[in-house]
Amino acid sequence: MASQTQFLSISLALVAFLFFIRVSADPDMLQDLCVADLSSGIKVNGFPCKDAANITSLDFFSQGIANPGLTNNTFGALVTGANVMTIPGLNTLGVSLARIDYAPGGLNPPHTHPRATEVVYVLEGTLDVGFLTTANKLIAQSLKKGDVFAFPKGLVHFQKNNGRVPASVVAAFNSQLPGTQSLGATLFGSTPPVPDSILAQAFQTSPGTVKHIKTKFQPKK
């Protein structure tokens, strides 16, 4: 009797666990296509579907990452997205791409993607990359042309071109719109701003130093 009760308890626990996995995963698509209607005022988790009669091949096409982006900016790097905002046909498909170009010395500064894991493939040049676990362990690697590296969902990561020539990668994401939070810009360039006292205490520095750092992240006039 005891063994039957134990078996029943384990069976119920397993069923509950499998049910939890099922309901917490992304649902299957219910139609072939749901091309994003980016002009719609309706707010949903994603975008409402465009009228099927108005769908064309251009909804699934982009040349936006065919050529290197301009890297003459503060960090010497530029991210060019190929996501649902530029390819509406990606709506509900759970995938997107980006091209990242780096000048010599260029940096894609520490940031996170709250909705996606990222995998990069090096097109040209060399990069030093890494991510940080929640245990504050740095996982770092030097990459060359043809190499692939993965950055787990939600973890802080970066890429740096320490070479003497430009570098570029194609990045793949398991989200139609992975989102990006750059740590510096988020903390020191938010609107409204994070109070100086909060940042000073968090980074164990003075409010004056915080004010100085914030000037680096103010919009260019």
Side-chain angles (χ1 to χ4, degrees), residues 5-130:
T5 302
Q6 184 179 25
F7 176 77
L8 179 60
S9 298
I10 294 173
S11 298
L12 290 173
L14 180 59
V15 169
F17 177 69
L18 292 174
F19 176 77
F20 172 78
I21 292 176
R22 179 70 187 120
V23 299
S24 64
D26 288 339
D28 292 333
M29 292 178 59
L30 300 179
Q31 62 244 338
D32 290 340
L33 309 170
C34 179
V35 174
D37 183 356
L38 300 177
S39 64
S40 174
I42 299 174
K43 302 300 182 183
V44 296
N45 186 22
F47 296 93
C49 303
K50 185 178 179 179
D51 190 325
N54 297 326
I55 293 174
T56 72
S57 63
L58 294 180
D59 291 316
F60 302 87
F61 175 78
S62 172
Q63 294 179 315
I65 62 174
N67 299 308
L70 297 177
T71 56
N72 56 340
N73 54 51
T74 302
F75 292 109
L78 182 71
V79 179
T80 305
N83 52 50
V84 70
M85 302 306 295
T86 55
I87 308 175
L90 291 178
N91 193 39
T92 75
L93 299 186
V95 293
S96 60
L97 294 175
R99 176 182 178 133
I100 313 172
D101 293 288
Y102 315 80
L107 171 70
N108 190 11
H111 62 282
T112 71
H113 301 297
R115 296 186 289 273
T117 291
E118 176 181 5
V119 179
V120 298
Y121 171 79
V122 182
L123 296 172
E124 298 290 345
T126 59
L127 293 169
D128 292 322
V129 306

Side-chain angles (χ1 to χ4, degrees), residues 93-196:
L93 299 186
V95 293
S96 60
L97 294 175
R99 176 182 178 133
I100 313 172
D101 293 288
Y102 315 80
L107 171 70
N108 190 11
H111 62 282
T112 71
H113 301 297
R115 296 186 289 273
T117 291
E118 176 181 5
V119 179
V120 298
Y121 171 79
V122 182
L123 296 172
E124 298 290 345
T126 59
L127 293 169
D128 292 322
V129 306
F131 64 85
L132 293 151
T133 71
T134 55
N136 289 334
K137 180 178 181 179
L138 172 64
I139 308 294
Q141 180 69 37
S142 294
L143 305 179
K144 62 183 185 304
K145 181 177 179 178
D147 287 348
V148 173
F149 193 81
F151 302 99
K153 177 182 178 180
L155 296 186
V156 175
H157 60 283
F158 60 87
Q159 303 109 26
K160 168 77 171 176
N161 179 7
N162 284 319
R164 298 183 178 180
V165 298
S168 59
V169 306
V170 167
F173 303 93
N174 62 334
S175 170
Q176 66 181 33
L177 195 62
T180 300
Q181 276 197 309
S182 181
L183 271 62
T186 297
L187 292 171
F188 296 97
S190 67
T191 302
V194 178
D196 295 348

Side-chain angles (χ1 to χ4, degrees), residues 198-209:
I198 299 294
L199 294 174
Q201 185 173 356
F203 288 96
Q204 296 295 286
T205 188
S206 68
T209 299

